[in-house]
Amino acid sequence: QKEVEQDPGPLSVPEGAIVSLNCTYSNSAFQYFMWYRQYSRKGPELLMYTYSSGNKEDGRFTAQVDKSSKYISLFIRDSQPSDSATYLCAMSEWAAGNKLTFGGGTRVLVKP
Amino acid sequence: GAVVSQHPSWVICKSGTSVKIECRSLDFQATTMFWYRQFPKQSLMLMATSNEGSKATYEQGVEKDKFLINHASLTLSTLTVTSAHPEDSSFYICSAPMTGSFYTFGSGTRLTVV
């Protein structure tokens, strides 16, 4: 069993729809949770960052962490074709300097 | 914001030759750099962690003599793929940790060994 599980997709939605992404994990020591967006043949770029349980909103993006269920989510409202990319969840146990554990990534396609 | 510049973005080399990939932190000092490998439609797999002025730490299963990592300064870390073979063809990405648990990534290097 992988330490972080993420549905690979692809997830296809019409423009304007809400994109719902999630990851489950097994290591209860994870405290820092991140979502990255990766376009084809590019490095990942940080979208959202959350410490411990709770919700965080930034523009069209909302990240949720439920440590009791070991489950994290990312919601993208009013999706745009430019949101078409692979979304990776990542998590770590400690503060900066510790290595990240990534999910497998979910490919998202937003159709105009 | 903090930027890690990675070069080259794409390289083709002949089997048996060596290739060097550079990652430079442009506006901050990176005492640590993580090197990842990513195969098509797969996630990032950590290969090694480099620390300025000391030996790199390799993940299990990664050949130290094949993937040479040098972190000689606070702004430069390099990965050299020695005696490359077609199975080494992959997307290589570096990443540096920032304050507040953020990590910034390079733009990646696509290596094709023919």
Side-chain angles (χ1 to χ4, degrees):
Chain A
Q1 182 186 3
K2 293 181 181 178
E3 207 167 5
V4 179
E5 298 277 0
Q6 184 176 4
D7 189 326
L11 178 61
S12 183
V13 300
E15 183 176 356
I18 295 175
V19 175
S20 176
L21 303 165
N22 59 76
C23 289
T24 58
Y25 62 95
S26 56
N27 185 352
S28 58
F30 285 141
Q31 297 189 79
Y32 298 86
F33 304 92
M34 287 144 274
W35 285 96
Y36 286 87
R37 177 174 63 195
Q38 185 179 25
Y39 292 111
S40 180
R41 297 174 185 172
K42 298 291 184 182
E45 54 178 322
L46 181 67
L47 285 177
M48 297 288 286
Y49 159 77
T50 310
Y51 169 69
S52 195
S53 286
N55 296 353
K56 187 173 184 178
E57 187 174 319
D58 184 3
R60 297 186 297 116
F61 300 93
T62 299
Q64 293 182 349
V65 174
D66 182 350
K67 290 191 69 179
S68 63
S69 301
K70 298 189 182 67
Y71 186 90
I72 69 171
S73 302
L74 177 70
F75 300 96
I76 307 174
R77 292 182 297 279
D78 188 26
S79 58
Q80 305 295 313
S82 58
D83 293 326
S84 297
T86 296
Y87 291 79
L88 299 155
C89 63
M91 43 199 81
S92 68
E93 296 183 23
W94 304 107
N98 196 54
K99 58 185 179 182
L100 294 176
T101 301
F102 283 89
T106 299
R107 186 175 162 221
V108 172
L109 178 61
V110 180
K111 296 182 177 181
Chain B
V3 174
V4 171
S5 178
Q6 184 171 348
H7 293 281
S9 58
W10 186 26
V11 58
I12 300 176
C13 71
K14 291 184 178 180
S15 187
T17 62
S18 296
V19 173
K20 180 184 284 188
I21 302 170
E22 293 187 349
C23 277
R24 293 181 183 273
S25 54
L26 297 186
D27 50 4
F28 68 101
Q29 294 182 331
T31 56
T32 300
M33 193 77 76
F34 298 104
W35 287 93
Y36 295 87
R37 180 166 52 183
Q38 186 178 32
F39 291 106
K41 297 184 180 180
Q42 294 187 25
S43 190
L44 284 73
M45 296 299 295
L46 181 66
M47 297 175 64
T49 303
S50 72
N51 295 289
E52 187 268 335
S54 63
K55 290 183 178 180
T57 303
Y58 290 82
E59 296 299 301
Q60 191 173 8
V62 177
E63 298 177 59
K64 300 178 182 181
D65 295 333
K66 183 168 187 60
F67 298 100
L68 300 179
I69 290 175
N70 184 280
H71 197 148
S73 77
L74 289 171
T75 59
L76 176 65
S77 178
T78 61
L79 167 66
T80 301
V81 183
T82 63
S83 186
H85 292 284
E87 58 265 30
D88 298 323
S89 298
S90 188
F91 192 60
Y92 293 87
I93 310 172
C94 60
S95 172
M98 309 293 297
T99 56
S101 296
F102 294 103
Y103 297 76
T104 186
F105 286 80
S107 55
T109 298
R110 182 185 172 198
L111 171 63
T112 301
V113 185
V114 298

